[in-house]
Amino acid sequence: LRRSGAGLLVTTCGLLRHRPGGGGAYWVDSQQKRYVPVKGDHVIGIVTAKAGDVFRLDVGGSEPASLSYLAFEGATKRNRPNVQVGDLVYGQFVVANKDMEPEMVCIDSSGKSSGMGIIGQDGFLFKVSLGLIRKLLAPKCEIIQELSQLYPFELVIGMNGRIWVKAKTVQQTLIIVNILEACEYMTAEQRKQALAKLSGN
Amino acid sequence: PGDTSVLAGLYGPAEAKVSKELPDRAALEVLLRPKVGLPGVLERSREQLLRQTCEAVVLGVLHPRTAISLVLQVLSDAGSLLSCCLNAACMALLDAGLPLSALFCGVTCALQPDGTILLDPTARQEQEARAILTFAIASSERKVLMATTKGSCSVEEMQQCLAAAQRAATTIFQFYRDSVRRRYSK
């Protein structure tokens, strides 16, 4: 929704939603796969290049984002973080508007890393649509609760549509990846059936 | 009716080459591939028509210095190809979630030698017709975004064709609405 002149203009197609609290807010819920950087979003980026003091990360938007080597917890000019080309980094945007190159940091406003930073070895990165990400990040997500009863696993969700999963064995990781990808189109019933079949095996 | 089909793929907003990027808006690029053979001059002129129509509705100022590419592949052609491409382009823009200020649809009118107006003609009817007019009509107040004519006709006949096309546009917009509703109800 955008304001044009005296009225409102709808710019994307989707379902119109309304939140009654506070002043009330209307927004259009649309399904997309392409990510547009927004300030404050936590995303998973892939390091593509090291240019002096700054890393270039691919976040799936129209431009690569930049990440300074000092933007990690406990990093100083002497103590550089160990980041190689091809590493996965989880951070948040500190500058993200349409006119400038997006910039990311791996520390929050108080200087702590709070779960951000370089993502370790192994694990599997895959891409889903933004609608599924929003569903997974909702406060009580059934999909994640049901999956955690199946196997223990580590999960990092980026708002740019990327999810990183690591479980104990490669096979378990792949099973989780397949379920998450299929969750987009399955209803709750089908999902419960699929999980019941797997936990029976 | 129903034999012309076009497959549309939209990519973007993606990184644009420095030579092609515009500083204040998105650079829109359309590629039309015919069913057989290499793209020729006819495809190029259609690409430009589509590009100008899309630029009028896409809010390019929200994504400066990016490139939006639209690729259209003709699967089968049984008449009214240009308006089929217009409709496919609009649905691709809708589906991808790009910010648009209005929707548009394409309607083809064939003017037969005896003066009757035929909407969405087949290839046979197009060949027999005296003039073929294609209009791109916007969803806001049915304004005309683009008009192309092949053949000759008088001004009154063009006005009549335009009125008929605007009426037909309502049906097409209803089809868009139904398709989107089906997609979001899953």
Side-chain angles (χ1 to χ4, degrees), chain A residues 2 9-15 29-36 60-64 98-101 184-185, chain B residues 11-16 23 59 61-66 94-102 180 183-184 186:
Chain A
R2 293 183 67 79
L9 191 64
V10 181
T11 53
T12 47
C13 73
L15 301 165
D29 213 1
S30 64
Q31 277 187 21
Q32 281 185 40
K33 291 178 81 161
R34 184 96 200 163
Y35 177 66
V36 173
S62 56
E63 283 188 283
K98 58 185 171 74
D99 299 306
M100 289 169 48
E101 180 190 51
E184 191 157 356
Y185 301 113
Chain B
Y11 304 99
E15 191 149 3
L59 291 169
V61 289
L62 288 177
H63 300 286
R65 296 180 347 267
T66 62
L94 254 189
D95 202 32
L98 242 62
L100 303 171
S101 62
V180 172
R183 186 166 181 254
Y184 278 88
K186 263 196 235 169

Side-chain angles (χ1 to χ4, degrees), chain B residues 7-37:
Chain B
L7 190 65
L10 186 77
Y11 304 99
E15 191 149 3
K17 289 190 205 163
V18 182
S19 56
K20 283 202 187 147
E21 67 181 9
L22 299 165
D24 60 339
R25 44 182 302 134
L28 189 65
E29 183 188 16
V30 179
L31 290 171
L32 179 59
R33 302 250 172 266
K35 190 170 152 203
V36 285

Side-chain angles (χ1 to χ4, degrees), chain A residues 151-197:
Chain A
Y151 312 117
F153 61 94
E154 266 181 77
L155 182 70
V156 179
I157 302 183
M159 301 280 300
N160 53 347
R162 295 189 183 159
I163 304 184
W164 180 86
V165 178
K166 179 173 166 184
K168 280 207 201 120
T169 66
V170 175
Q171 199 181 27
Q172 288 178 0
T173 314
L174 289 174
I175 292 177
I176 298 178
V177 166
N178 286 332
I179 295 183
L180 282 171
E181 278 178 347
C183 272
E184 191 157 356
Y185 301 113
M186 287 202 289
T187 59
E189 288 305 312
Q190 289 168 323
R191 200 175 59 229
K192 289 192 178 39
Q193 280 172 9
L195 285 169
K197 243 196 302 184

Side-chain angles (χ1 to χ4, degrees), chain B residues 126-168:
Chain B
E126 274 183 359
Q127 274 181 335
E128 292 169 348
R130 183 160 39 104
I132 304 173
L133 299 100
T134 306
F135 298 104
I137 297 171
S139 60
S140 51
E141 296 165 25
R142 305 285 179 269
K143 293 218 180 100
V144 178
L145 282 177
M146 190 268 294
T148 298
T149 314
K150 188 166 154 188
S152 62
C153 66
S154 69
V155 180
E156 295 88 25
E157 281 163 345
M158 183 168 179
Q159 297 290 339
Q160 283 173 351
C161 285
L162 185 54
Q166 279 170 334
R167 282 194 294 274

Side-chain angles (χ1 to χ4, degrees), chain A residues 64-140:
Chain A
S66 67
L67 172 63
S68 159
Y69 76 96
L70 288 172
F72 288 85
E73 183 177 357
T76 60
K77 288 205 181 124
R78 301 270 174 89
N79 180 16
R80 287 166 178 255
N82 185 15
V83 177
Q84 307 300 324
V85 173
D87 275 354
L88 293 176
V89 178
Y90 184 64
Q92 66 178 348
F93 283 113
V94 73
V95 168
N97 51 37
K98 58 185 171 74
D99 299 306
M100 289 169 48
E101 180 190 51
E103 287 176 26
M104 276 178 57
V105 289
C106 286
I107 53 172
D108 61 12
S109 43
S110 59
K112 300 255 169 55
S113 77
S114 64
M116 295 191 271
I118 310 170
I119 296 177
Q121 298 292 316
D122 303 332
F124 191 82
L125 178 77
F126 61 103
K127 202 165 180 320
V128 291
S129 76
L130 305 186
L132 182 61
I133 301 277
R134 281 198 290 264
K135 236 195 299 186
L136 288 171
L137 285 174
K140 283 180 207 143

